[in-house]
Amino acid sequence: MAFDIEMIKKVYAEMPSKIDSARKLVNRPLTLTEKILYSHLHTDQKQDQFERAKSYVDFSPDRVAMQDATAQMALLQFMQSGRPKVAVPSTVHCDHLITAKNGANDDLAFANKESKEVFDFLGSVSNKYGIGFWKPGAGIIHQVVLENYAFPGGMMIGTDSHTVNAGGLGMIAIGVGGADACDVMAGLAWELKMPKLIGVKLTGKLSGWTAPKDVILKVAGILTVKGGTDAVVEYFGEGAISMSCTGKGTICNMGAEIGATTSTFGYDDSMSRYLKATGREDVAALADTVKEHLTADVEVYLNPSKYFDQVIEINLSELEPHVNGPFTPDLATPISKLKEVALANAWPTKISVGLLGSCTNSSYEDISRAVSLAKQVSSKHLKAKAEYLINPGSEQIRYTIERDGFLDIFDQIGAKVFTNACGPCIGMWDRMGSEKHEKNTIIHSFNRNFAKRADGNPNTYAFVASPEIVTAMAIAGDLTFNPLTDFLTNEKGEQVKFDAPNGDELPTRGFEVKDSGFQSPAADGSHVVINVSPTSDRLQLLDPFAAWEGNDLSDLKLLIKAKGKCTTDHISMAGPWLKFRGHLDNISNNMLIGAVNFFNEKTDTVKNQLSGSYDSVPKVQRAYKSQGIGSIVVGDENYGEGSSREHAAMEPRHLGVRAVLVKSFARIHETNLKKQGMLALTFVNKADYEKIQENDSINIFGLTTFSPGTSLTLLFKHSDGTQDEIKANHTYNAQQIDWFKAGGALNIIRAGVK
Ligand code: MIC
Ligand code: SF4
C-alpha cells in the first residue's frame, strides 16, 4: 500500500468540484497546471482570476520532502516554530553527505561515522515531529519520492531544486528553501507567484539512441538557463504519452536547469504502469477515478497557443541525442556536430570518466539501456577506455539491478558502484588527482555541470548526456566519437560499431528490495529529546536575526561586484562545505568564495575598504561586521541560479550584508533572500551595473515607505567624491515587506502573529 493513502484519497475527493468551480471562474478550458494549482489553494485564499507572473497566491501543498544537506537548516527553523508535529506528510532523505571514493560499502560506513552527529540529529528530529526518515544509503531524494510518494495531480514542495522530478508522475512539485518548507510543515500557507505557462508539444516517438534526456537537453538549448523563470512547463502530445514515467521524470528534473518553477505531464498509462510496478496499485486505481482532472481539458492540447504563454514543439522521431556543456547545462550540441564544435573550441577530447546516475537518470530503464551497451564491450571485443562510475538512485533500484545481473555486466567493464546517493553530482567525490587541477573531460548523466561542481577542479570539462551516450562515449573514451555513425577499433584490430541501445521500461520480474532504509517516526514524539552540542562544529541552534532598525540604511560598503555567472555554487559552495550545512557560522566562511570579483577578475579576493588590502570575501565581510558596518553585494544576470540552498541567503544575512542588487534573480534564491529578511533588488536600468566602483559607500533610501511596486533608491558614493543615484526594483508584496521589517519570516512565526 502507498504511504499516506488517506491524504491522496482526500485530494482526489475534493479535486473535481474545485476544478469545476475554477473552470467556471476563469470561463475557459484549463491546463493541467492550472487544475493542480486551483485544487490546492489554501483555505483562506479566495479563488480568483490570478494574473500570471503577477499575482501572489497562497497554496496548501500535500507534502514536503527534504534532503540531508538542506533539511538541517529547514528543521532547525521548524524547531523554532513551536509546533509539536508536522502538519503535512514530510520526509527526510540522507543522500548528499556521502563521499564517493572506494565504493558503496566503504563509503557508506565512512559517512555514517563522519556525519553521525548530523544523521542522528535528522533522525531524532524526524522521529520527534512525525517525519519519515530515509537513512543514508536508502537513495537519492527524488528517486525515492518518485518510487514512494509522488502521485498524479498532487502538489508538493521540497528543499531541493530537483524536487521538480516528481512532475514525471504528474505532480506540481516545486523546489524551495528551508524556510518555505518550515512554513508548510507548521501548517501555514505557501505563497507562489502565479506562474506563466510554457507548453511543450512532443510529437513522434523516441527510438534508437535518443532518450528522454535529449528532450530536456534540447529544451535547455532553446530556453537557456533562465528561459523557464517563473514558468511551469507542461508537456503533452503523442510523444509524451509514448514515453516512460521515469523518462518523464528525467525531463521534469532538468527543468530546474532552465529556471522553471516546475514541469509536469498529464496522467497516462505509463504513470499507471509505474505506480503499479512500485507497489501502488491503490494510487493508480484512485487516479483512474479522476482521470479527466489529471490532464488538461481537451481544447487546450488541441489549440495550445491559446492557453499557454509560449509553445514549443519537438518531434521526437527527428530528435538527435545531445551533449550539453561544458560549464553550463544549456550549451546544447547535437551529437552529429559535437566533433566539429569540440575541436573548434579546443575542448579536451579525451574522456577520462563517464558517470551514470544522479536523481536525473538512475531509473531501471536508464540502467538497462546503459547495460545493453556495456554488454557490447565483451561481445565486440572492445575495451572500455574511460573509468566508469555508477550511483544507483535508490536501494530498490540497486537491489533489482543486482538481481537482474546488470551490476555483473558493469563489473566486467571495470565499473565502480558507489552508494545510492548524490556523490560526484554534488562534489562529494574524492577524485584522485583532482587537486592538481589538470585539464580533463568527463561526461555524466547528471543535470548540472557548473565549474568545479563534480570534483572541485576548475579545469574539469563536464558534459551532460543521456545514460546511453555517457556509456558509449566512456567506452570510446573520446568526445569526438559519434556512437550513431562511427566505428571503433577493437582488440582484434577490427572495426566495430555499437548496436543501438535497448532496455526495459520496468523490471519484468518486478522491483525488489530487502531493506529500503526507511524509518517511520514515533506515533507520539513528545518524549524524544534533541541534543545539539554547543561545541559542535556541524550543528548550531539558530539565533533570531535582528529586526530592521526602522530607517534608511547609510554608509554600507560594497562587498563584491560579482561578474558573470554567479550560481548558488559560487555563493555557497557544496562539496567540502556540505558538512557545515547545519552550522550557520561555520558555513558562512564559504560565502561568495566562488564569485568572480569584477575589479580584478579573481575569486575570493576583494578589497577591504577599511584597511585597503585584499582578502577573502568572508574575512572582509567579518571585518565590516565587527565594526557594525553593513554591506551590499552586486551581481549580474540570473544571480543565485541552481540550488535551493538557503544558506546562500542566510550566510550574507548572518554576516551583515544588507542588500543584494543584481540584473536579475533566479526564483528560489530571490525568495530565500526575502524570507531571511534581506533586500533583494534589481537594477531598473541594467546598465547602472557599470557605474558601481570598488571603493563605493552606499545609502539605500525609501525603506520607511517600502511598499509593493515602488522602487527604492540607492546612492553610490565613489572614492573620487562623485556619486551616482540608481533606482532599484523589487518584487516584495505586503507580507514579504513584513518579513523584511521583522528581520525574517521566522521571526513572525515565532512571535505567533502570522
Ligand atoms: C544540487 O543539485 O545543487 C543540490 C545539492 O541538490 C541542491 C540542494 C543543496 O544545495 O543542498 C539543489 O539542487 O537544490
Ligand atoms: Fe543530488 Fe545531484 Fe540530484 Fe542534487 S542534482 S539531488 S546533488 S543527485
Side-chain angles (χ1 to χ4, degrees):
M1 194 176 78
F3 287 97
D4 309 305
I5 191 78
E6 293 308 317
M7 175 269 283
I8 299 174
K9 278 186 190 157
K10 185 163 176 280
V11 171
Y12 287 163
E14 294 174 359
M15 194 167 234
S17 64
K18 288 182 175 171
I19 292 177
D20 284 346
S21 82
R23 193 185 292 105
K24 272 193 203 111
L25 179 90
V26 302
N27 195 24
R28 59 167 170 80
L30 295 173
T31 60
L32 167 64
T33 306
E34 290 166 310
K35 289 184 184 183
I36 303 180
L37 291 177
Y38 273 102
S39 56
H40 285 87
L41 296 181
H42 188 261
T43 36
D44 296 338
Q45 171 70 60
K46 210 172 105 303
Q47 260 195 3
D48 206 347
Q49 295 250 22
F50 302 117
E51 215 180 317
R52 295 182 193 170
K54 267 239 161 86
S55 317
Y56 281 97
V57 185
D58 280 347
F59 293 99
S60 289
D62 302 316
R63 59 179 318 121
V64 175
M66 292 160 280
Q67 41 89 341
D68 49 2
T70 48
Q72 299 170 59
M73 215 34 103
L75 294 174
L76 284 164
Q77 293 176 83
F78 181 75
M79 285 163 65
Q80 309 277 319
S81 74
R83 308 296 201 267
K85 215 175 170 15
V86 287
V88 300
S90 305
T91 49
V92 165
H93 304 259
C94 298
D95 54 359
H96 279 63
L97 299 176
I98 305 163
T99 306
K101 187 178 181 192
N102 297 324
N105 290 342
D106 275 16
D107 296 348
L108 182 59
F110 183 78
N112 272 324
K113 242 196 268 151
E114 191 193 29
S115 292
K116 182 174 185 326
E117 184 186 3
V118 171
F119 295 144
D120 286 351
F121 168 76
L122 294 174
S124 57
V125 176
S126 299
N127 198 18
K128 183 171 182 68
Y129 295 108
I131 300 170
F133 182 67
W134 291 80
K135 291 187 268 189
I140 306 175
I141 175 169
H142 312 301
Q143 181 67 32
V144 174
V145 165
L146 198 73
E147 286 175 1
N148 296 280
Y149 299 112
F151 65 98
M155 180 175 192
M156 71 179 279
I157 59 166
T159 57
D160 190 282
S161 63
H162 294 106
T163 303
V164 294
N165 188 68
L169 247 178
M171 283 197 114
I172 288 289
I174 302 180
V176 298
D180 283 32
C182 173
D183 281 0
V184 174
M185 291 189 292
L188 303 173
W190 178 67
E191 182 190 72
L192 178 74
K193 207 192 280 169
M194 195 65 177
K196 286 179 288 180
L197 301 179
I198 300 177
V200 179
K201 180 171 181 180
L202 301 177
T203 61
K205 195 168 187 287
L206 293 172
S207 66
W209 284 89
T210 313
K213 179 80 153 211
D214 299 308
V215 176
I216 187 61
L217 294 180
K218 168 94 183 164
V219 170
I222 298 171
L223 287 175
T224 77
V225 287
K226 52 186 291 226
T229 307
D230 285 335
V232 173
V233 185
E234 186 170 322
Y235 291 86
F236 60 95
E238 56 177 4
I241 292 168
S242 65
M243 205 183 282
S244 67
C245 172
T246 50
K248 293 178 170 84
T250 297
I251 294 175
C252 292
N253 181 297
M254 267 194 81
E257 273 54 68
I258 53 166
T261 301
T262 191
S263 310
T264 194
F265 284 82
Y267 179 60
D268 64 19
D269 204 48
S270 73
M271 296 185 192
S272 167
R273 287 195 299 274
Y274 185 72
L275 285 168
K276 290 175 186 154
T278 50
R280 290 171 290 169
E281 295 80 0
D282 46 359
V283 179
L286 282 172
D288 286 340
T289 65
V290 286
K291 229 177 178 153
E292 74 272 26
H293 302 294
L294 301 176
T295 187
D297 290 337
V298 184
E299 300 88 329
V300 171
Y301 294 159
L302 288 176
N303 197 355
S305 53
K306 203 165 153 199
Y307 303 98
F308 291 100
D309 300 290
Q310 181 181 356
V311 178
I312 295 170
E313 190 168 327
I314 297 175
N315 183 345
L316 301 185
S317 307
E318 288 168 5
L319 181 66
E320 255 193 86
H322 279 63
V323 175
N324 286 21
F327 307 123
T328 185
D330 58 349
L331 187 56
T333 310
I335 191 87
S336 60
K337 297 267 159 26
L338 187 60
K339 181 175 182 177
E340 184 187 322
V341 175
L343 295 177
N345 286 287
W347 295 335
T349 55
K350 176 178 175 285
I351 296 177
S352 21
V353 190
L355 302 102
L356 180 68
S358 91
C359 59
T360 332
N361 274 111
S362 51
S363 67
Y364 188 86
E365 182 179 44
D366 289 334
I367 295 176
S368 70
R369 285 173 62 84
V371 158
S372 73
L373 294 162
K375 269 186 192 158
Q376 298 178 40
V377 171
S378 64
S379 67
K380 295 192 193 292
H381 308 285
L382 288 161
K383 201 168 179 302
K385 294 272 174 50
E387 246 187 289
Y388 192 74
L389 310 175
I390 307 167
N391 278 85
S394 71
E395 176 57 13
Q396 173 162 277
I397 292 282
R398 194 209 61 78
Y399 193 91
T400 309
I401 61 172
E402 181 173 45
R403 180 203 65 192
D404 291 352
F406 294 174
L407 291 184
D408 287 340
I409 295 164
F410 284 132
D411 196 44
Q412 286 161 24
I413 67 163
K416 194 178 267 179
V417 180
F418 291 135
T419 319
N420 314 313
C422 304
C425 181
I426 189 52
M428 295 298 272
W429 182 17
D430 194 343
R431 183 180 182 195
M432 227 199 332
S434 64
E435 70 289 347
K436 288 189 224 142
H437 289 189
E438 282 162 7
K439 213 173 184 185
N440 75 104
T441 287
I442 63 174
I443 186 161
H444 60 58
S445 69
F446 309 164
N447 40 37
R448 292 195 176 139
N449 55 350
F450 304 136
K452 297 195 203 176
R453 180 169 167 102
D455 62 359
N457 174 2
N459 300 318
T460 292
Y461 286 58
F463 293 87
V464 183
S466 68
E468 295 85 331
I469 293 292
V470 165
T471 308
M473 306 278 273
I475 294 168
D478 181 0
L479 195 66
T480 64
F481 172 72
N482 178 353
L484 283 71
T485 52
D486 297 353
F487 287 79
L488 289 170
T489 310
N490 72 5
E491 306 252 88
K492 297 177 165 173
E494 299 157 349
Q495 294 290 297
V496 292
K497 198 163 166 280
F498 278 114
D499 301 325
N502 59 66
D504 292 325
E505 175 187 289
L506 293 162
T508 38
R509 291 163 62 198
F511 282 111
E512 217 178 307
V513 66
K514 265 229 173 71
D515 174 8
S516 68
F518 176 70
Q519 194 175 290
S520 49
D524 172 9
S526 56
H527 61 280
V528 179
V529 181
I530 294 156
N531 292 317
V532 173
S533 157
T535 56
S536 167
D537 63 356
R538 301 283 307 260
L539 295 168
Q540 182 187 41
L541 293 174
L542 291 173
D543 285 329
F545 291 130
W548 171 55
E549 48 276 71
N551 42 35
D552 285 338
L553 303 176
S554 52
D555 295 322
L556 308 174
K557 299 289 178 205
L558 175 75
L559 176 62
I560 183 171
K561 172 163 154 179
K563 185 177 174 191
K565 215 175 185 51
C566 192
T567 72
T568 43
D569 282 353
H570 298 82
I571 307 171
S572 175
M573 204 192 166
W577 292 91
L578 278 176
K579 58 173 170 296
F580 298 121
R581 286 287 185 86
H583 196 296
L584 183 54
D585 195 53
N586 283 348
I587 198 162
S588 295
N589 291 330
N590 79 356
M591 185 183 74
L592 284 157
I593 61 175
V596 177
N597 179 358
F598 178 90
F599 301 105
N600 56 16
E601 308 255 327
K602 291 188 184 154
T603 54
D604 205 20
T605 315
V606 293
K607 188 165 185 181
N608 175 339
Q609 293 195 36
L610 303 176
S611 67
S613 57
Y614 285 81
D615 213 334
S616 81
V617 188
K619 280 210 183 115
V620 171
Q621 182 55 34
R622 283 193 193 271
Y624 295 151
K625 186 181 182 182
S626 69
Q627 304 292 312
I629 300 171
S631 68
I632 86 161
V633 168
V634 171
D636 219 309
E637 297 280 6
N638 210 20
Y639 183 88
E641 153 191 358
S643 161
S644 66
R645 62 190 77 141
E646 63 197 323
H647 305 76
M650 292 180 92
E651 294 173 25
R653 178 76 174 100
H654 171 65
L655 292 185
V657 177
R658 303 303 299 266
V660 180
L661 172 66
V662 300
K663 292 186 187 167
S664 63
F665 279 111
R667 175 190 61 89
I668 307 179
H669 186 61
E670 183 179 16
T671 310
N672 286 344
L673 287 167
K674 291 176 176 176
K675 274 253 139 114
Q676 301 299 339
M678 291 274 287
L679 285 171
L681 309 173
T682 52
F683 290 99
V684 168
N685 177 4
K686 289 185 184 179
D688 285 347
Y689 173 89
E690 301 304 328
K691 295 184 179 156
I692 288 148
Q693 299 177 17
E694 191 169 26
N695 296 315
D696 283 352
S697 286
I698 304 112
N699 295 353
I700 304 182
F701 301 114
L703 293 175
T704 49
T705 51
F706 193 11
S707 53
T710 331
S711 56
L712 297 175
T713 304
L714 281 81
L715 181 69
F716 285 82
K717 296 175 280 182
H718 311 307
S719 51
D720 64 0
T722 61
Q723 51 190 42
D724 276 299
E725 203 174 87
I726 283 173
K727 287 268 176 236
N729 279 334
H730 67 81
T731 59
Y732 289 69
N733 60 23
Q735 171 174 290
Q736 295 166 343
I737 290 173
D738 286 345
W739 297 345
F740 166 74
K741 290 184 174 161
L746 188 57
N747 287 346
I748 296 182
I749 307 185
R750 258 201 203 98
V753 293
K754 188 165 167 182

